[in-house]
Structures are given as C-alpha cells and as structure tokens.
Amino acid sequence: MGHSVTHRCDGCGYEALVSGHGDAGMLVETDTVSCGRCRSIVDVVIRWHDRARYATPPNCPECGAHAAHLTTWVSGGPCPRCGDRMPEAADGIEVLWD
C-alpha cells in the first residue's frame, strides 16, 4: 500500500501531497520527483506491476515536461520554488493508496 503525505516548505509555504520517496501500491510503483520546468513536486508512475518497467521515463503530470526536467526528490529535500527545506507537515493530509 502506498502512502502520501503533505510536505510544506518552511520558507514560502508551497505544499505537495506526495510519497516523498519511491513507493508502491498493488498496481503501480511510483517515485517522487521535482520538475524543473513547472517547479512542482509530484509522484510519477514508473512501473505497472503487470508490465515491464517503462522503456522511457515518465513526463511531469502537471506540465507535461520531458523526463530530462525531472529529478528524484526525497522528503525533507529542497523546495523547487525557493530552495528551503520541505518536511512533512504535522497538520497536513495523509493518504493511503493502493
């Protein structure tokens, strides 16, 4: 079962509801990435369990940017908008997904 939580920037208040690391549900595996084009943090599907890993990396689900604009992001990492840290928000949303 996958797990997503709200991450909030200490500096500018930007929020993202993401896993914050590689994650997996019953059907998919995801990874959390930062998009350099739209400056968002998003989870992208990297593999459906009934298929081989994607031959080409995924695009940004927010702006459609090519995978070259995406970099792996880990919980507590830098905000894509101001560079401050983005820990899990104590008062944020928590979602369990499958």
Side-chain angles (χ1 to χ4, degrees), residues 49-93:
H49 286 289
D50 62 344
R51 301 181 194 134
R53 208 171 264 285
Y54 285 122
T56 57
N59 293 344
C60 175
E62 293 289 319
C63 71
H66 186 269
H69 294 277
L70 306 180
T71 56
T72 300
W73 186 87
V74 178
S75 182
C79 174
R81 303 200 175 169
C82 75
D84 277 354
R85 82 183 207 92
M86 285 189 63
E88 292 183 16
D91 61 344
I93 296 171

Side-chain angles (χ1 to χ4, degrees), residues 12-13 16 28 47 52 67-68 74 85 98:
C12 69
V28 298
R47 180 178 182 261
V74 178
R85 82 183 207 92
D98 232 351

Side-chain angles (χ1 to χ4, degrees), residues 10-86:
D10 289 339
C12 69
Y14 169 70
E15 292 185 355
L17 181 63
V18 295
S19 294
H21 50 76
D23 209 350
M26 289 181 65
L27 299 176
V28 298
E29 289 179 32
T30 63
D31 201 5
T32 303
V33 297
S34 177
C35 178
R37 188 163 119 195
C38 69
R39 301 181 341 167
S40 295
I41 293 176
V42 294
D43 285 330
V44 294
V45 174
I46 57 171
R47 180 178 182 261
W48 289 88
H49 286 289
D50 62 344
R51 301 181 194 134
R53 208 171 264 285
Y54 285 122
T56 57
N59 293 344
C60 175
E62 293 289 319
C63 71
H66 186 269
H69 294 277
L70 306 180
T71 56
T72 300
W73 186 87
V74 178
S75 182
C79 174
R81 303 200 175 169
C82 75
D84 277 354
R85 82 183 207 92
M86 285 189 63

